[in-house]
mmCIF file of all heavy atoms in Angstrom:
data_model
loop_
_atom_site.group_PDB
_atom_site.id
_atom_site.type_symbol
_atom_site.label_atom_id
_atom_site.label_comp_id
_atom_site.label_asym_id
_atom_site.label_seq_id
_atom_site.Cartn_x
_atom_site.Cartn_y
_atom_site.Cartn_z
ATOM 1 N N ALA A 1298 105.109 79.528 107.104
ATOM 2 C CA ALA A 1298 103.966 78.762 107.623
ATOM 3 C C ALA A 1298 104.385 77.918 108.828
ATOM 4 O O ALA A 1298 103.643 77.827 109.817
ATOM 5 C CB ALA A 1298 103.396 77.878 106.511
ATOM 6 N N GLN A 1299 105.566 77.333 108.755
ATOM 7 C CA GLN A 1299 106.027 76.505 109.877
ATOM 8 C C GLN A 1299 106.334 77.358 111.106
ATOM 9 O O GLN A 1299 106.061 76.961 112.243
ATOM 10 C CB GLN A 1299 107.259 75.699 109.463
ATOM 11 C CG GLN A 1299 106.904 74.525 108.556
ATOM 12 C CD GLN A 1299 108.124 73.761 108.077
ATOM 13 O OE1 GLN A 1299 109.222 73.916 108.633
ATOM 14 N NE2 GLN A 1299 107.949 72.944 107.057
ATOM 15 N N ALA A 1300 106.901 78.527 110.879
ATOM 16 C CA ALA A 1300 107.190 79.432 112.003
ATOM 17 C C ALA A 1300 105.890 79.902 112.649
ATOM 18 O O ALA A 1300 105.774 79.941 113.884
ATOM 19 C CB ALA A 1300 108.021 80.620 111.524
ATOM 20 N N GLU A 1301 104.909 80.229 111.808
ATOM 21 C CA GLU A 1301 103.614 80.680 112.348
ATOM 22 C C GLU A 1301 102.931 79.555 113.122
ATOM 23 O O GLU A 1301 102.364 79.785 114.195
ATOM 24 C CB GLU A 1301 102.712 81.167 111.204
ATOM 25 C CG GLU A 1301 103.121 82.544 110.686
ATOM 26 C CD GLU A 1301 102.284 83.017 109.515
ATOM 27 O OE1 GLU A 1301 101.671 82.156 108.836
ATOM 28 O OE2 GLU A 1301 102.258 84.249 109.273
ATOM 29 N N ALA A 1302 103.000 78.345 112.584
ATOM 30 C CA ALA A 1302 102.369 77.202 113.261
ATOM 31 C C ALA A 1302 103.043 76.950 114.611
ATOM 32 O O ALA A 1302 102.371 76.680 115.613
ATOM 33 C CB ALA A 1302 102.451 75.955 112.380
ATOM 34 N N ALA A 1303 104.349 77.051 114.649
ATOM 35 C CA ALA A 1303 105.075 76.822 115.903
ATOM 36 C C ALA A 1303 104.706 77.887 116.934
ATOM 37 O O ALA A 1303 104.511 77.587 118.112
ATOM 38 C CB ALA A 1303 106.578 76.827 115.650
ATOM 39 N N ALA A 1304 104.590 79.137 116.485
ATOM 40 C CA ALA A 1304 104.228 80.229 117.416
ATOM 41 C C ALA A 1304 102.806 80.027 117.936
ATOM 42 O O ALA A 1304 102.529 80.253 119.127
ATOM 43 C CB ALA A 1304 104.374 81.580 116.721
ATOM 44 N N ALA A 1305 101.908 79.575 117.054
ATOM 45 C CA ALA A 1305 100.505 79.371 117.452
ATOM 46 C C ALA A 1305 100.394 78.224 118.457
ATOM 47 O O ALA A 1305 99.431 78.156 119.224
ATOM 48 C CB ALA A 1305 99.658 79.077 116.220
ATOM 49 N N ASP A 1306 101.362 77.337 118.451
ATOM 50 C CA ASP A 1306 101.362 76.158 119.316
ATOM 51 C C ASP A 1306 101.859 76.471 120.734
ATOM 52 O O ASP A 1306 101.784 75.639 121.632
ATOM 53 C CB ASP A 1306 102.276 75.111 118.642
ATOM 54 C CG ASP A 1306 102.138 73.749 119.273
ATOM 55 O OD1 ASP A 1306 101.006 73.384 119.633
ATOM 56 O OD2 ASP A 1306 103.163 73.053 119.425
ATOM 57 N N LEU A 1307 102.381 77.676 120.946
ATOM 58 C CA LEU A 1307 102.956 78.012 122.260
ATOM 59 C C LEU A 1307 101.852 78.364 123.252
ATOM 60 O O LEU A 1307 100.810 78.891 122.857
ATOM 61 C CB LEU A 1307 103.917 79.200 122.124
ATOM 62 C CG LEU A 1307 105.148 78.993 121.246
ATOM 63 C CD1 LEU A 1307 105.961 80.281 121.150
ATOM 64 C CD2 LEU A 1307 106.012 77.844 121.772
ATOM 65 N N PRO A 1308 102.090 78.108 124.534
ATOM 66 C CA PRO A 1308 101.099 78.506 125.537
ATOM 67 C C PRO A 1308 100.996 80.025 125.629
ATOM 68 O O PRO A 1308 101.992 80.724 125.440
ATOM 69 C CB PRO A 1308 101.658 77.915 126.840
ATOM 70 C CG PRO A 1308 103.088 77.617 126.586
ATOM 71 C CD PRO A 1308 103.254 77.413 125.115
ATOM 72 N N GLY A 1309 99.788 80.514 125.904
ATOM 73 C CA GLY A 1309 99.582 81.953 126.016
ATOM 74 C C GLY A 1309 99.301 82.577 124.666
ATOM 75 O O GLY A 1309 99.165 81.880 123.663
ATOM 76 N N THR A 1310 99.210 83.902 124.657
ATOM 77 C CA THR A 1310 98.850 84.596 123.421
ATOM 78 C C THR A 1310 99.900 85.656 123.086
ATOM 79 O O THR A 1310 100.770 85.967 123.894
ATOM 80 C CB THR A 1310 97.489 85.315 123.581
ATOM 81 O OG1 THR A 1310 97.576 86.150 124.739
ATOM 82 C CG2 THR A 1310 96.352 84.327 123.714
ATOM 83 N N GLY A 1311 99.783 86.180 121.853
ATOM 84 C CA GLY A 1311 100.633 87.311 121.453
ATOM 85 C C GLY A 1311 101.957 86.908 120.836
ATOM 86 O O GLY A 1311 102.766 87.766 120.492
ATOM 87 N N HIS A 1312 102.200 85.606 120.695
ATOM 88 C CA HIS A 1312 103.456 85.168 120.089
ATOM 89 C C HIS A 1312 103.395 85.356 118.573
ATOM 90 O O HIS A 1312 102.327 85.484 117.990
ATOM 91 C CB HIS A 1312 103.728 83.703 120.442
ATOM 92 C CG HIS A 1312 103.590 83.402 121.900
ATOM 93 N ND1 HIS A 1312 104.375 84.002 122.857
ATOM 94 C CD2 HIS A 1312 102.718 82.598 122.567
ATOM 95 C CE1 HIS A 1312 104.015 83.557 124.055
ATOM 96 N NE2 HIS A 1312 103.004 82.723 123.904
ATOM 97 N N LEU A 1313 104.571 85.326 117.958
ATOM 98 C CA LEU A 1313 104.647 85.646 116.530
ATOM 99 C C LEU A 1313 105.589 84.667 115.840
ATOM 100 O O LEU A 1313 106.650 84.331 116.385
ATOM 101 C CB LEU A 1313 105.201 87.071 116.408
ATOM 102 C CG LEU A 1313 105.108 87.831 115.105
ATOM 103 C CD1 LEU A 1313 103.653 88.023 114.683
ATOM 104 C CD2 LEU A 1313 105.788 89.194 115.272
ATOM 105 N N GLY A 1314 105.207 84.243 114.638
ATOM 106 C CA GLY A 1314 106.106 83.439 113.814
ATOM 107 C C GLY A 1314 106.537 84.259 112.611
ATOM 108 O O GLY A 1314 105.706 84.844 111.921
ATOM 109 N N LEU A 1315 107.825 84.337 112.363
ATOM 110 C CA LEU A 1315 108.340 85.137 111.252
ATOM 111 C C LEU A 1315 109.304 84.323 110.407
ATOM 112 O O LEU A 1315 110.006 83.452 110.919
ATOM 113 C CB LEU A 1315 109.100 86.369 111.778
ATOM 114 C CG LEU A 1315 108.328 87.407 112.586
ATOM 115 C CD1 LEU A 1315 109.290 88.508 113.049
ATOM 116 C CD2 LEU A 1315 107.195 88.003 111.760
ATOM 117 N N VAL A 1316 109.366 84.645 109.118
ATOM 118 C CA VAL A 1316 110.371 84.031 108.275
ATOM 119 C C VAL A 1316 111.664 84.816 108.479
ATOM 120 O O VAL A 1316 111.651 86.042 108.637
ATOM 121 C CB VAL A 1316 109.923 84.021 106.786
ATOM 122 C CG1 VAL A 1316 109.883 85.417 106.211
ATOM 123 C CG2 VAL A 1316 110.815 83.108 105.966
ATOM 124 N N GLY A 1317 112.780 84.104 108.557
ATOM 125 C CA GLY A 1317 114.034 84.824 108.773
ATOM 126 C C GLY A 1317 115.224 83.915 108.555
ATOM 127 O O GLY A 1317 115.612 83.156 109.440
#
Side-chain angles (χ1 to χ4, degrees):
Q1299 285 177 15
E1301 284 177 338
D1306 192 38
L1307 297 177
T1310 54
H1312 311 299
L1313 194 61
L1315 297 178
V1316 68

